[in-house]
Amino acid sequence: MVSLSKKLAYSSNQIGLSVLWQAFSAIAVFYYVTVLNVSGTSISIGMIIYGFLNALFNLVAGYVSDRTKTRFGRRIPYILFGSLPFGVLFFFLFNPPAGSTTMLLIYFFTLTFFFDLIYSFIGLNTGALFPEMYQTKKDRYQVSAFQQMFSIIGMIIGIALAKSLGLSLGWGLMAGIFAIIAVISLYVSLYGSFENPAGSKSEPLHSKEATVKTFKNKLFNSYVVANLLIQLTTTMFVSLTAFYTKYVVVLNGTQNSIFLGAVFIVAIPMSFIWAKSGVRLSTVRVAMISSVLYAIISLGFLFADSAVMVIIIGALLGIPVSGFMLSLHVLLSDVVDFDAQQTGRRREGMYYGVNGFIIRIGMSIQYGIMGIFFATSGFDADKEVQVTSALHGFRFLIGGLPVLILLIAYICLKKYQSSEKKLRGANS
């Protein structure tokens, strides 16, 4: 029986991971382009190429983690020894030495490489601990709810405060404060972290066999496609809201903050409601219900014509978003459990690694969709008022396309449900 204090401590790792990663995603390029005058085109091209390299980090981290054997365990050493460098690298990203723009570009990508590499190892191993530490459905939902709460808090700090603190306090001081928050939260999480020694006793699979067995897992294949599509839907929502609230239904700064904040404010308490519901329902059903709810609610963006309507739609979206966050996390743990029954090995690292790899690669789909839209819709960034075709396009991307994407995700989840029933029947 794990105490509540240890569950909360373990879950706090999400604050550190979210604060630094969200802040990096939100302002790193902005800082180097607008403050240090590094070429935005050069950074953009570099980031596109880097995106593929970034995806490979997850595969490497997963494979290495499963094969690690130390007196500290398989997963914990990466958190123990990686947390401080993680914070230090973030600090130095926003405290660059004086130099030419070319040198700053090299500096940016060098530090980004190591920052992201360490993030991949820490993030994967904190996640891989979850299914090993918590075996019951009740514990998994409770801890997952705590994690989502802390993740949202970190997200709000990283997204909402990074730019304002950088401008008011200075970028270096902002980075130092965020780094301290992250490092402390990651070390606090170690108080609530533990490993089952039995998990590392079996001989790990070789890379080729490990990869083949992972992709032969029908549950995982259904899960990872559904997860990819759901993540695509939610990340497109984040990217498109800025355009939607500027050109389609105009929101001022305060209204826009309320709109985005409403999603998170509703999502936090809903996480605990979903957690209680999830104990009674199957995890895959929670994901399926969330998919249907999101699709229905997002249709509102096709017809919204006032700030109040947009804010209400945002608040309602917090319900299925929290359902996604909980159920997808628990579903991957269930996949690992079923695999362990089949192979006799705990391979959390490989599954979390392959999942991360596919999600990172899949994010390119989003840029492809938006690229096609910008090239064909008549959108003109120099104009304050867009042509009708562009406005209809924004409405479709944020309110219509999610329905089509989530329909496919629902079919994948239905297939997962069918495979899960067969596996449970075979093992009963």
Side-chain angles (χ1 to χ4, degrees):
M1 183 70 178
V2 183
S3 67
L4 180 62
S5 63
K6 285 187 176 292
K7 290 178 179 178
L8 286 168
Y10 164 72
S11 301
S12 69
N13 56 45
Q14 295 301 303
I15 293 179
L17 291 170
S18 292
V19 164
L20 295 198
W21 182 253
Q22 296 297 338
F24 171 80
S25 300
I27 62 167
V29 172
F30 172 84
Y31 171 69
Y32 274 80
V33 172
T34 65
V35 178
L36 301 181
N37 297 316
V38 176
S39 167
T41 302
S42 298
I43 283 188
S44 297
I45 294 172
M47 289 301 283
I48 292 172
I49 298 171
Y50 179 74
F52 292 95
L53 178 64
N54 173 283
L56 292 174
F57 290 164
N58 290 273
L59 285 179
V60 173
Y63 178 70
V64 171
S65 177
D66 281 342
R67 300 182 70 82
T68 298
K69 291 185 179 181
T70 74
R71 63 190 181 93
F72 297 106
R74 290 193 295 175
R75 322 294 184 190
I76 288 177
Y78 295 103
I79 307 166
L80 178 63
F81 298 111
S83 296
L84 183 58
F86 183 51
V88 169
L89 284 165
F90 182 83
F91 173 76
F92 280 109
L93 260 170
F94 292 90
N95 287 272
S100 66
T101 54
T102 300
M103 288 301 298
L104 288 172
L105 184 66
I106 295 171
Y107 180 86
F108 171 78
F109 279 110
T110 300
L111 265 67
T112 295
F113 173 86
F114 289 106
F115 172 79
D116 196 8
L117 181 64
I118 294 176
Y119 170 78
S120 296
F121 271 90
I122 295 177
L124 182 138
N125 283 285
T126 55
L129 283 172
F130 176 77
E132 183 176 337
M133 291 167 57
Y134 300 106
Q135 297 289 311
T136 68
K137 192 175 181 180
K138 182 179 179 180
D139 280 342
R140 284 182 174 177
Y141 265 101
Q142 183 186 36
V143 175
S144 185
F146 290 148
Q147 286 188 300
Q148 305 324 316
M149 176 183 69
F150 285 131
S151 178
I152 291 171
I153 291 171
M155 207 178 295
I156 292 171
I157 295 172
I159 294 175
L161 297 181
K163 184 178 178 181
S164 60
L165 288 179
L167 292 171
S168 59
L169 300 180
W171 299 98
L173 182 55
M174 175 279 298
I177 293 171
F178 280 22
I180 290 171
I181 292 172
V183 172
I184 290 175
S185 70
L186 286 167
Y187 281 132
V188 167
S189 76
L190 290 175
Y191 167 72
S193 302
F194 61 88
E195 296 188 40
N196 184 348
S200 58
K201 284 184 178 179
S202 58
E203 189 65 26
L205 299 173
H206 293 293
S207 58
K208 183 179 179 180
E209 185 182 6
T211 303
V212 169
K213 283 189 175 293
T214 299
F215 283 106
K216 278 188 174 181
N217 186 325
K218 292 182 179 180
L219 280 180
F220 180 69
N221 290 337
S222 298
Y223 164 83
V224 80
V225 175
N227 188 30
L228 166 63
L229 295 170
I230 290 169
Q231 297 285 352
L232 173 62
T233 300
T234 54
T235 54
M236 282 191 67
F237 166 76
V238 173
S239 300
L240 288 165
T241 51
F243 295 97
Y244 187 88
T245 57
K246 180 176 181 179
Y247 299 112
V248 183
V249 181
V250 180
L251 272 59
N252 61 37
T254 301
Q255 291 170 334
N256 196 61
S257 297
I258 294 172
F259 165 52
L260 292 174
V263 180
F264 298 125
I265 290 170
V266 171
I268 290 177
M270 279 304 304
S271 295
F272 295 95
I273 295 174
W274 278 117
K276 287 188 177 181
S277 301
V279 174
R280 295 191 296 271
L281 301 170
S282 69
T283 306
V284 71
R285 284 186 66 191
V286 173
M288 292 165 70
I289 292 170
S290 298
S291 298
V292 173
L293 283 176
Y294 191 104
I296 293 171
I297 294 168
S298 68
L299 286 171
F301 287 120
L302 294 175
F303 312 104
D305 58 4
S306 68
V308 173
M309 286 185 66
V310 172
I311 291 170
I312 291 173
I313 294 168
L316 291 174
L317 280 179
I319 300 172
V321 165
S322 61
F324 285 147
M325 294 172 77
L326 258 77
S327 59
L328 294 174
H329 189 39
V330 176
L331 270 182
L332 186 51
S333 299
D334 293 343
V335 169
V336 173
D337 289 344
F338 281 119
D339 177 75
Q341 293 173 12
Q342 300 297 317
T343 66
R345 296 173 172 88
R346 299 291 304 186
R347 300 193 302 126
E348 288 90 345
M350 196 64 191
Y351 278 101
Y352 276 80
V354 173
N355 180 59
F357 170 79
I358 291 175
I359 295 303
R360 296 282 184 98
I361 289 292
M363 288 175 68
S364 299
I365 299 173
Q366 173 192 340
Y367 297 111
I369 292 172
M370 293 182 68
I372 293 171
F373 164 76
F374 287 130
T376 60
S377 67
F379 174 79
D380 188 343
D382 293 327
K383 293 182 179 179
E384 285 297 318
V385 179
Q386 299 296 325
V387 297
T388 302
S389 58
L391 298 180
H392 287 333
F394 282 127
R395 285 190 182 275
F396 173 73
L397 289 178
I398 199 170
L401 185 60
V403 177
L404 302 177
I405 294 174
L406 291 174
L407 173 61
I408 302 172
Y410 185 90
I411 293 171
C412 291
L413 291 169
K414 194 73 177 175
K415 186 176 180 181
Y416 178 102
Q417 186 181 47
S418 176
S419 298
E420 183 183 40
K421 285 180 180 179
K422 289 179 181 178
L423 276 170
R424 289 190 186 280
N427 293 329
S428 62

